[in-house]
Amino acid sequence: MTSTDRPGSPRHTRQRTEIRQAVEDQETFATAQEIHDRLRHDGSGVGLATVYRTLQGLAAAGELDAIRTPDGQVAYRTCSPGHHHHLICRSCGRTVEVSIPSLETLIRALAAEQGFAQVEHELEFYGTCTDCARA
Amino acid sequence: MTSTDRPGSPRHTRQRTEIRQAVEDQETFATAQEIHDRLRHDGSGVGLATVYRTLQGLAAAGELDAIRTPDGQVAYRTCSPGHHHHLICRSCGRTVEVSIPSLETLIRALAAEQGFAQVEHELEFYGTCTDCARA
DNA sequence: ATGCATGCAAACATTTTGCATATTC
DNA sequence: GAATATGCAAAATGTTTGCATGCAT
């Protein structure tokens, strides 16, 4: 075992590549099942479990953003780095990334005030975008 | 059918009372299963389905706050009226209600700017409270 | 008496896991 | 060749639903 062989370096497999590609092609947040459907539809033979496992891994590694949809499913998307939130169209899934520096400041103040440490937050916005509102 | 008998007025049953009481006694957010366990433990014969149905109803009626925990479950708690968020201790569940007027303002601006309508948001904070950090 | 509420069990949807096999390193 | 990744199917979870019966109104 060499130092480049340390556990944690994921192996480069066909499936992993396919999955990462599928998520990148997706302009909206997609669930593991949706990614799986897409891949199968495109002729890939990936297993559903592999999609679940791989997406989790990529999200844990910070290569993907994971959110929990209002109905409880987990959805993934390739995002720009750094902490940010999302404004998502309920109808078409169109997503806008938003960063709210003032919120982060506010949270630090809140945490200090209430004596809480390691405060994390997750904030997503759901609305209807212009195009969908018009339809 | 009289005017006081309109559909929508839930019936006053023993189970409904027990469930509402159990949630009120709980100082933290609790899932349907937890409420059910508690009631069964206290000798009640309520069915799990009834607990699910009733909690959903109470939340829909605005009598309870419902949140989705980080691991995807739905949890309920009796809360003060009006829009607010929660700062929840990951360890003991202790909950502080917080309202962030500036956030609401910010959202309206954000919605207008991006052309989104009916923007909803859900925001909860998870941290470790002083007592739990000390332990 | 009417009909909503309950309880049970079965159905469901999503996600996780065990294990034999295939693959990468 | 050693160890991880995959695929499949089974299991686990959390929640919902169908239906016969009970209870509130």
Side-chain angles (χ1 to χ4, degrees):
Chain A
M1 191 196 298
T2 72
S3 59
T4 59
D5 229 8
R6 94 200 74 175
S9 342
R11 288 183 175 175
H12 184 261
T13 66
R14 176 177 52 79
Q15 292 86 336
R16 201 179 177 79
T17 307
E18 287 180 358
I19 293 170
R20 189 190 268 118
Q21 191 57 243
V23 184
E24 274 167 19
D25 291 351
Q26 209 82 34
E27 75 283 10
T28 66
F29 275 93
T31 64
Q33 312 238 25
E34 286 166 345
I35 297 289
H36 180 245
D37 286 351
R38 183 193 223 280
L39 288 170
R40 294 298 271 240
H41 179 270
D42 292 356
S44 165
V46 230
L48 180 56
T50 300
V51 177
Y52 270 103
R53 283 189 276 234
T54 305
L55 288 175
Q56 278 174 190
L58 291 172
E63 294 192 43
L64 253 48
D65 268 22
I67 63 168
R68 194 167 282 282
T69 66
D71 66 308
Q73 295 177 238
V74 181
Y76 301 88
R77 181 169 181 272
T78 318
C79 272
S80 48
H83 180 78
H84 61 269
H85 303 279
H86 304 99
L87 172 54
I88 305 163
C89 176
R90 258 187 293 265
S91 170
C92 69
R94 191 181 129 207
T95 298
V96 180
E97 297 184 16
V98 240
S99 73
I100 312 180
S102 59
L103 177 63
E104 320 302 326
T105 309
L106 199 147
I107 289 168
R108 269 192 294 280
L110 177 66
E113 180 189 323
Q114 299 290 342
F116 275 65
Q118 299 140 41
V119 175
E120 285 174 3
H121 66 290
E122 198 185 300
L123 170 63
E124 311 297 344
F125 305 99
Y126 288 87
T128 312
C129 75
T130 343
D131 293 352
C132 293
R134 187 185 309 140
Chain B
M1 192 196 298
T2 73
S3 61
T4 59
D5 230 7
R6 92 200 75 174
S9 343
R11 288 187 176 173
H12 185 262
T13 66
R14 177 177 51 79
Q15 291 85 337
R16 202 179 176 79
T17 307
E18 288 180 358
I19 294 170
R20 189 190 267 118
Q21 191 57 242
V23 183
E24 275 168 19
D25 291 351
Q26 210 80 34
E27 75 283 9
T28 67
F29 275 93
T31 64
Q33 313 236 24
E34 287 167 345
I35 297 290
H36 180 246
D37 286 351
R38 181 192 224 281
L39 288 170
R40 293 300 270 241
H41 179 270
D42 292 357
S44 165
V46 229
L48 180 56
T50 300
V51 177
Y52 270 103
R53 283 189 276 234
T54 305
L55 288 175
Q56 276 174 193
L58 291 172
E63 295 192 42
L64 253 47
D65 267 23
I67 63 169
R68 196 167 281 281
T69 65
D71 66 308
Q73 294 177 239
V74 181
Y76 302 88
R77 180 169 181 272
T78 318
C79 273
S80 47
H83 180 78
H84 60 269
H85 303 280
H86 303 99
L87 172 53
I88 305 163
C89 177
R90 258 188 293 266
S91 169
C92 68
R94 191 181 129 207
T95 298
V96 180
E97 297 184 16
V98 242
S99 74
I100 312 180
S102 59
L103 176 64
E104 320 302 327
T105 310
L106 199 148
I107 289 169
R108 269 191 293 280
L110 177 66
E113 179 189 324
Q114 299 291 342
F116 275 64
Q118 299 140 40
V119 176
E120 285 173 2
H121 67 290
E122 198 187 299
L123 170 63
E124 312 298 343
F125 306 99
Y126 287 87
T128 311
C129 77
T130 343
D131 293 351
C132 293
R134 188 183 309 139

